[in-house]
Amino acid sequence: MSGITIANYTFTTNAGLMFGPLDSMLALMGNRSHPSDSGVGPCSNWAATLAAYTDIQPTAGISIASLVDNTTCGDYAATTTSYWNSDTYADTFVRDAILGTGPVAGWNHESRRELLTKGAAYLVVRQSIFDRLRKGVDKCNEGARDAAVYDWEVAYALHSGNREGPEGRGSGSSTYGLADRRCWQFATCVTGTFPARANVLALEAWRRGVTALYAGQCMSALREMKLIKAQLTVPLVQGALREAHETDYGPAGGAHAADGIVEVAEGWAFLAAFLPELAQCDAGVAQLVSTNLALSLTGPWMSSGFKAVKEAMESQYACLGITCSDVGAMLTDNTFQPIADWRACSDEPVLYGLEVSRIVTYAVGLIAAVVVLAVILALLACALCYMCATKGKNTAPKRQGEENYIDVQMKG
């Protein structure tokens, strides 16, 4: 039952076989909600989409809808419940998108499809991943090492999904696939367009965490869990920034080249997945960002402008456990060149408004200039001293008796 490899991780339990197929249910939701693939003409098959969300997946024995368990005492579940004032927000998010109710009433099919597929993967499944990781650490503290490892492998199966295959090629519908789809847009792949650095770093932390759990080193596993959580946040931040840019009609925005209202839906879906964590870092930043990316049919969208939203999010990268280099900056879709007015932030400390490395560079340059100037002045001083010392001494000195000899000659 064990030994299966998904996305470069070889399972030691049957968790991959059991929970990996939930990725196929996510894909089924996407297919059934797509007008061209539903088999019912121009309209999406919402009933079939709801069934894919709520039906029991045979191997796992659960549905995607039942994944989130906010009755756990995990930090992530508590943060999410507190922010949304609901322990069923993720489930409600997806159901509203499928049924066209609540804040999604009146939205077009494509926007609802983006909300439901992203909501199921990045709110429901992602939260379940963190719940499982936390349960694993708790079980480790209780001395149940094998059970702890199983929970961590369930978490990886949910993250990767069976459609990724042994090597993980970004073909799945869960959080692993998202990172691979974003990395080439932000130049954050390990090489070229595959794999995402976020996936590689998360996998390394997963492996270290499982090793720590087997050894009963629970605190070490907890540290790795935080690293995993941070890397799974990276593509969500990238996605939110991408859609923020594409819904900004200002001079720094790209709304003129966007598809329409669907970007608003996508941006909110990405942001909603990590908004409780952002609010925990800084409530004011979370409010600014959520106001600008709010799920609204009438706008105004990005009223503060992309630059302000980008800088606000960047100010909380350290709190989220990520870096500027983790996120990068988006490139153009066709030429893969930097987008105008979108520069990646720097991870270097800033002093008096300048990066420390720049200050050091300027200081070194200034010192070098002073040294060169001092050398030049010293050389000039030496030259002047030499000229003064040799002034009037250009004729040869007369030999002794030479003056008397000349006088005698003149008299003769």
Side-chain angles (χ1 to χ4, degrees), residues 134-308:
R134 182 67 208 203
K135 285 179 180 179
V137 174
D138 291 342
K139 289 176 182 177
C140 176
N141 286 322
E142 296 167 0
R145 299 181 185 181
D146 289 344
V149 169
Y150 181 76
D151 277 327
W152 271 54
E153 292 201 340
V154 168
Y156 194 79
L158 293 174
H159 166 59
S160 59
N162 64 333
R163 297 173 63 247
E164 284 295 341
E167 296 181 353
R169 289 286 180 177
S171 55
S173 300
S174 192
T175 50
Y176 185 101
L178 173 64
D180 272 6
R181 288 192 294 275
R182 282 287 169 262
C183 75
W184 61 269
Q185 295 174 325
F186 284 77
T188 53
C189 302
V190 173
T191 55
T193 60
F194 167 87
R197 187 164 62 244
N199 281 336
V200 173
L201 294 176
L203 174 59
E204 291 172 352
W206 239 296
R207 287 172 173 161
R208 290 193 301 266
V210 168
T211 299
L213 292 172
Y214 270 127
Q217 299 170 350
C218 310
M219 290 304 296
S220 294
L222 180 61
R223 287 193 293 271
E224 301 301 337
M225 183 189 80
K226 293 178 179 179
L227 293 176
I228 292 169
K229 182 179 178 182
Q231 292 306 314
L232 266 61
T233 301
V234 168
L236 294 172
V237 172
Q238 292 173 329
L241 287 174
R242 181 176 188 266
E243 304 311 329
H245 182 263
E246 294 190 349
T247 51
D248 179 16
Y249 283 89
H256 60 282
D259 298 329
I261 195 69
V262 69
E263 278 83 10
V264 177
E266 290 184 88
W268 179 249
F270 285 125
L271 177 63
F274 70 96
L275 187 55
E277 301 156 65
L278 187 63
Q280 193 175 42
C281 289
D282 189 305
V285 168
Q287 183 61 53
L288 183 149
V289 175
S290 62
T291 297
N292 278 269
L293 274 75
L295 190 65
S296 170
L297 274 172
T298 57
W301 306 295
M302 296 298 295
S303 56
S304 300
F306 174 69
K307 185 175 183 291

Side-chain angles (χ1 to χ4, degrees), residues 314-359:
E314 289 171 344
S315 72
Q316 299 308 308
Y317 281 1
C319 179
L320 293 171
I322 62 179
T323 66
C324 294
S325 59
D326 285 337
V327 177
M330 198 173 84
L331 308 177
T332 57
D333 287 340
N334 297 325
T335 61
F336 300 103
Q337 297 300 312
I339 290 177
D341 300 318
W342 189 337
R343 178 176 176 268
C345 62
S346 173
D347 296 311
E348 294 187 48
V350 175
L351 184 64
Y352 300 114
L354 289 174
E355 296 167 5
V356 171
S357 66
R358 289 190 178 187
I359 295 176

